[in-house]
């Protein structure tokens, strides 16, 4: 049973940066897909970024070029760095893991089966 705990959310001014962390409870996390997702009130949950076991990454168009997903396998921790924050980035952010079905991971919610509790990100303008 992998458990995920997010941290690092908070209130940031537009144009600022934020780094979110997701700590996993055990080593089996290393061989799974890892992703970040977000959900704002009244909107569906959307994928932000995903990373596969060999480090290949994918980002949604809205954060491409200003976001970085990474892992620290020694610490079993997943990170999401977002730069140049925009008001539309405000949401509850969730990390998740899921099985690797192929050679790469996608940031599609239905592919993930273990989720963290979420961390709130607020962006002020």
């Amino acid at each position: 049973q992998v458990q995920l705990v997010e941290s690092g959310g908070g209130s940031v001014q537009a144009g600022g940066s934020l780094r979110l962390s997701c700590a996993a409870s055990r080593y089996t996390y290393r061989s799974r897909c890892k992703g970040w997702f977000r959900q704002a009130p009244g909107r569906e949950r959307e994928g932000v970024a995903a990373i596969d076991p060999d480090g290949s990454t994918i980002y949604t168009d809205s954060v491409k070029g200003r976001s970085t997903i990474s892992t620290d396998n020694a610490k079993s921790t997943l990170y999401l760095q977002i730069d140049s924050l925009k008001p539309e980035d405000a949401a509850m952010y969730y990390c998740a893991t899921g099985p690797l079905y192929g050679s790469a991971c996608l940031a599609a919610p239905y592919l993930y089966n273990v989720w963290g509790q979420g961390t709130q990100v607020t962006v002020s303008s």
Side-chain angles (χ1 to χ4, degrees), residues 41-66:
R43 296 186 177 183
E44 66 181 15
R45 186 169 298 185
E46 66 171 340
V48 178
I51 185 168
D52 69 16
D54 71 3
S56 180
T57 60
I58 188 170
Y59 301 89
T60 189
D61 288 344
S62 63
V63 304
K64 186 178 180 180
R66 60 187 184 91

Side-chain angles (χ1 to χ4, degrees), residues 10-59:
S11 182
V12 183
Q13 287 191 307
S17 298
L18 197 66
R19 191 189 194 201
L20 306 180
S21 298
C22 173
S25 63
R26 55 187 295 163
Y27 72 93
T28 54
Y29 170 85
R30 298 174 182 175
S31 63
R32 294 165 62 86
C33 294
K34 300 97 176 174
W36 284 97
F37 304 82
R38 65 188 182 188
Q39 187 167 26
R43 296 186 177 183
E44 66 181 15
R45 186 169 298 185
E46 66 171 340
V48 178
I51 185 168
D52 69 16
D54 71 3
S56 180
T57 60
I58 188 170
Y59 301 89

Side-chain angles (χ1 to χ4, degrees), residues 75-96:
K75 296 181 178 180
S76 296
T77 301
L78 176 71
Y79 302 97
L80 179 68
Q81 173 84 24
I82 307 178
D83 301 318
S84 301
L85 282 159
K86 304 175 181 179
E88 52 263 43
D89 291 321
M92 182 72 76
Y93 282 71
Y94 301 89
C95 66

Side-chain angles (χ1 to χ4, degrees), residues 4-7 36-37 92-95 115-120:
L4 306 176
V5 180
E6 301 98 332
S7 62
W36 284 97
F37 304 82
M92 182 72 76
Y93 282 71
Y94 301 89
C95 66
W115 295 80
Q117 83 288 353
T119 185
Q120 184 69 234

